[in-house]
């Protein structure tokens, strides 16, 4: 018997064993399209933009349905009511992250984004308390954002109204806020270190949304033998972690537990407390992954939202003008502050609508069931991957009058007052919601208002503005150039 026959026989036996084992496990499982052997529903999914396929499938199978990617069954939740029911009313049952080979290879249940169990609880508790200690939601970090916004203004002025690509400088400005909390440091926008770190993060976020990664998660043993995006991702992560380790190794030598300067100092101090959790949770591998988690998350979603904001202001100059008018009326030439937001309902509505329309993480980060659960009449076994589809919430017609249009009036009442919308959950909800939500909201308002106070933005002559998102794990705008004309 030749090698190929042996391998094929092994695959068939493995497949039949899994099918037999799961026959009872998936009784009364959410409905979905019939999967093919081995590959599941891969051929019918838009692997670059799976949220589009999920929306189509929900019209056939309802708001709770399943798909199979490779051998892995995944439950998809659509619409605000269903997502809220799972993540709030059944919070404990849906609070895990699924096992994914591509993240398991480097995270190994460390950090806060991809970890589970007690490690996740300890790291999230530490992250939230430390972010608050170092200014999240307070005047201290507001002042840092205001200072950084002024640096960004000076950089934009240096282009003297000529076209430029804003990706790198907006990434760097936003990154400097989380870097301040992590390292007590800010980088110049041309610093080779920050340029390199941003480059590897941006490349990985683009590749994490590629079909290659989804194939790797389905067939890791096979994909490990093949070239592809996964190899680039692992190389980038290795380089990024090398920088993080070098940074905290240096800080460890300078550490003064009575004068903790930043989050890394706070973590290193925990290491030295001599408690059981110091050894079990506050080790260097956890620190490496945690800092990487916070750096990437703290930079990417906020900077991508701001880039959507500037593109949309160019696309809709009449909305940009209304924002200018409100800024002039409420702030004038003074420095924008968070206290101004309550007096600026239109600008606040525009910022919210940028987040909703931008739909930055359409698939959400995947969840998993931490226990067997009966949900909406279906049985979902422990360990099942679950996608609470944020795209289906932010584009839900029940809550948003014009879901596929950029329409700030979604957040304004008939008298022009700002009004909340319960389906506005770009940071997700529940126990896995974004730990930096308060910081991100502050950054978005202050950066956006400062830029619109100082500049009028428009497209270069003859440019075509495309609102179709670029491919990637996050849903950012395509590369575009912008002209910033000083208003002062």
């Amino acid at each position: 018997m030749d090698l190929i026959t042996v391998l094929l026989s092994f695959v068939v036996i493995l497949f039949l064993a899994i099918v037999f084992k799961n026959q009872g496990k998936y009784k009364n499982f959410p409905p979905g399209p019939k999967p093919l052997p081995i590959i599941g529903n891969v051929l019918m999914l838009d692997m670059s933009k799976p949220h589009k396929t999920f929306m189509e499938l929900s019209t056939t199978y309802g708001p709770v349905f399943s798909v199979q990617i490779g051998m892995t069954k995944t439950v998809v939740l659509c619409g605000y009511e269903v997502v809220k029911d799972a993540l709030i009313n059944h919070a404990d049952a849906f609070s895990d992250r699924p096992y994914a080979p591509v993240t398991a290879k480097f995270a190994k249940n460390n950090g806060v984004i991809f970890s589970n169990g007690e490690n996740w609880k300890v790291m999230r508790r530490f992250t939230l308390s430390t972010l608050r200690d170092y200014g999240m939601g307070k005047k201290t970090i507001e002042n840092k954002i205001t200072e950084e916004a002024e640096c960004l203004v000076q950089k934009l002025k240096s282009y003297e109204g000529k076209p430029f690509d804003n990706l790198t400088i907006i990434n760097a400005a936003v990154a400097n806020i989380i870097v301040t909390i992590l390292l007590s440091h800010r980088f110049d926008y041309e610093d080779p270190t920050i340029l390199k770190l941003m480059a590897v993060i941006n490349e990985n976020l683009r590749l994490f949304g590629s079909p290659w990664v989804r194939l790797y998660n389905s067939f890791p043993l096979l994909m490990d033998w093949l070239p592809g995006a996964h190899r680039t991702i692992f190389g980038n992560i290795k380089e990024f972690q090398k920088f993080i380790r070098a940074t905290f190794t240096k800080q460890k030598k300078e550490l003064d537990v009575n004068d903790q300067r930043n989050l890394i100092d706070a973590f290193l101090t925990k290491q030295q407390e001599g408690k059981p959790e110091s050894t079990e949770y506050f080790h260097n591998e956890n620190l490496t992954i945690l800092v990487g988690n916070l750096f990437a998350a703290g930079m990417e979603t906020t900077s991508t939202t701001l880039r959507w904001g500037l593109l949309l202001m160019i696309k809709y100059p009449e909305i940009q003008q209304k924002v200018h008018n409100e800024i002039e009326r409420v702030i004038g030439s003074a420095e924008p502050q968070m206290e101004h937001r309550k007096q600026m309902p239109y600008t606040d509505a525009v910022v919210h609508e940028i987040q909703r329309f931008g739909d930055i993480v359409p698939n959400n980060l995947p969840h998993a069931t931490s226990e067997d659960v009966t949900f909406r009449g279906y049985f979902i076994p422990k360990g099942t991957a679950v996608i609470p589809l944020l795209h289906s919430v932010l584009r839900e017609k029940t809550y948003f009058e014009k879901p596929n249009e950029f329409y700030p009036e979604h957040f304004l009442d008939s008298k022009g007052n700002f009004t909340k919308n319960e389906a506005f959950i770009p940071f997700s909800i529940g126990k896995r919601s974004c730990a930096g939500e308060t910081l991100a909201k502050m950054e978005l308002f202050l950066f956006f208002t400062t830029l619109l106070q100082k500049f009028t933005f428009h497209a270069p002559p003859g440019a075509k503005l495309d609102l179709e998102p670029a491919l990637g794990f996050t849903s950012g705008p395509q590369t575009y150039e912008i002209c910033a004309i000083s208003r002062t």
Side-chain angles (χ1 to χ4, degrees):
M1 191 179 289
D2 60 28
L3 181 60
I4 293 176
T5 305
V6 171
L7 287 173
L8 285 173
S9 300
F10 175 75
V11 169
V12 170
I13 292 167
L14 179 64
F15 171 70
L16 292 173
I18 292 172
V19 169
F20 181 75
K21 179 184 175 184
N22 291 335
Q23 271 183 338
K25 185 179 178 181
Y26 291 107
K27 283 184 178 177
N28 198 31
F29 196 66
K34 189 174 181 179
L36 294 170
I38 310 297
I39 63 172
N41 302 121
V42 165
L43 297 180
M44 68 179 301
L45 293 176
D46 181 342
M47 295 295 277
S48 297
K49 296 182 179 179
H51 61 280
K52 299 286 189 185
T53 310
F54 295 153
M55 291 294 284
E56 292 169 6
L57 290 172
S58 69
T59 62
T60 302
Y61 298 102
V64 182
F65 65 92
S66 64
V67 293
Q68 187 170 313
I69 303 172
M71 305 293 285
T72 304
K73 288 183 179 291
T74 298
V75 172
V76 182
L77 309 177
C78 290
Y80 174 66
E81 294 299 330
V82 171
V83 170
K84 178 187 174 186
D85 193 9
L87 302 188
I88 299 295
N89 301 335
H90 297 78
D92 288 332
F94 287 92
S95 65
D96 271 4
R97 290 279 187 236
Y99 173 77
V102 74
T103 52
K105 196 174 181 81
F106 66 86
K108 299 180 175 66
N109 201 45
N110 291 313
V112 71
I113 293 180
F114 302 112
S115 60
N116 282 319
E118 195 60 28
N119 186 81
W120 166 65
K121 292 176 184 176
V122 172
M123 287 300 101
R124 184 171 174 86
R125 195 160 52 239
F126 168 79
T127 299
L128 287 169
S129 64
T130 309
L131 287 176
R132 283 193 292 267
D133 289 344
Y134 289 98
M136 186 172 76
K138 299 177 183 176
K139 195 68 179 176
T140 49
I141 204 68
E142 180 177 342
N143 292 338
K144 287 271 194 286
I145 298 167
T146 301
E147 290 169 15
E148 192 63 47
E150 183 55 35
C151 293
L152 183 58
V153 165
Q154 295 308 314
K155 180 64 179 176
L156 265 59
K157 282 185 175 179
S158 73
Y159 291 104
E160 300 178 335
K162 295 171 185 172
F164 64 96
D165 180 351
N166 62 27
L167 172 62
T168 301
I169 52 175
I170 288 183
N171 271 181
V174 173
N176 271 335
I177 305 303
I178 193 65
V179 167
T180 296
I181 295 171
L182 295 173
L183 315 177
S184 306
H185 181 70
R186 79 170 291 276
F187 290 100
D188 185 80
Y189 298 157
E190 279 79 33
D191 188 304
T193 301
I194 192 69
L195 291 175
K196 184 62 180 175
L197 294 176
M198 292 189 304
V200 299
I201 289 171
N202 285 328
E203 184 173 38
N204 271 13
L205 285 166
R206 178 176 58 80
L207 295 176
F208 262 111
S210 70
W212 276 102
V213 168
R214 292 186 174 90
L215 287 171
Y216 185 92
N217 281 335
S218 299
F219 311 105
L221 294 176
L222 174 63
M223 295 297 289
D224 267 334
W225 290 85
L226 299 173
H230 53 286
R231 292 188 181 277
T232 305
I233 287 171
F234 297 142
N236 284 340
I237 290 170
K238 187 175 181 181
E239 188 168 351
F240 189 62
Q241 290 181 348
K242 183 180 177 183
F243 165 78
I244 295 170
R245 289 192 189 96
T247 300
F248 72 65
T249 299
K250 180 184 176 188
Q251 286 195 207
K252 203 166 191 174
K253 294 174 183 175
E254 306 165 349
L255 180 66
D256 179 352
V257 296
N258 297 313
D259 182 24
Q260 298 168 37
R261 300 159 295 178
N262 48 51
L263 183 140
I264 290 179
D265 275 6
F267 193 104
L268 294 172
T269 300
K270 286 278 189 183
Q271 280 187 346
Q272 298 186 9
E273 286 181 351
K275 298 177 182 177
E277 74 168 17
S278 299
T279 303
E280 192 169 355
Y281 302 111
F282 289 91
H283 47 75
N284 288 348
E285 290 78 11
N286 238 341
L287 177 56
T288 302
I289 301 300
L290 179 63
V291 171
N293 287 168
L294 296 177
F295 190 104
M299 178 194 85
E300 165 58 21
T301 53
T302 303
S303 61
T304 299
T305 304
L306 284 170
R307 290 177 59 239
W308 269 120
L310 296 183
L311 178 60
L312 289 161
M313 291 305 95
I314 295 169
K315 183 76 172 177
Y316 301 106
E318 69 283 2
I319 294 176
Q320 181 175 186
Q321 186 58 54
K322 287 182 181 179
V323 174
H324 284 153
N325 293 344
E326 189 172 65
I327 290 172
E328 288 171 5
R329 187 171 67 254
V330 176
I331 304 177
S333 59
E335 199 172 66
Q337 304 286 338
M338 287 306 296
E339 64 190 32
H340 290 130
R341 187 167 66 172
K342 291 180 181 178
Q343 304 164 258
M344 302 174 70
Y346 190 78
T347 302
D348 202 6
V350 168
V351 172
H352 278 69
E353 182 66 355
I354 290 165
Q355 291 177 267
R356 186 202 70 83
F357 183 86
D359 192 18
I360 308 300
V361 191
N363 297 297
N364 206 335
L365 284 170
H367 287 235
T369 45
S370 59
E371 58 192 51
D372 290 349
V373 60
T374 299
F375 180 74
R376 298 261 165 156
Y378 299 111
F379 176 73
I380 306 175
K382 178 182 177 179
T384 302
V386 178
I387 296 176
L389 198 67
L390 287 185
H391 178 78
S392 71
V393 179
L394 297 176
R395 298 295 173 97
E396 189 167 1
K397 194 169 180 60
T398 308
Y399 292 92
F400 300 103
E401 181 186 348
K402 300 178 180 180
N404 297 313
E405 296 180 26
F406 182 70
Y407 188 62
E409 286 74 11
H410 285 139
F411 298 94
L412 295 169
D413 65 17
S414 58
K415 295 180 180 178
N417 299 311
F418 180 82
T419 181
K420 292 182 178 179
N421 189 315
E422 62 179 323
F424 177 74
I425 54 168
F427 300 98
S428 195
I429 49 175
K431 296 191 172 189
R432 288 280 183 171
S433 62
C434 175
E437 178 175 348
T438 303
L439 176 62
K441 287 178 175 177
M442 188 179 279
E443 289 176 304
L444 288 172
F445 180 78
L446 291 174
F447 275 120
F448 182 76
T449 306
T450 302
L451 291 175
L452 270 291
Q453 179 190 49
K454 302 293 186 182
F455 300 100
T456 298
F457 295 97
H458 63 77
K464 293 182 179 179
L465 300 178
D466 190 349
L467 297 184
E468 184 65 26
L471 297 179
F473 176 75
T474 52
S475 188
Q478 296 185 37
T479 302
Y480 68 95
E481 288 199 322
I482 189 171
C483 296
I485 308 303
S486 180
R487 304 182 71 235
T488 55

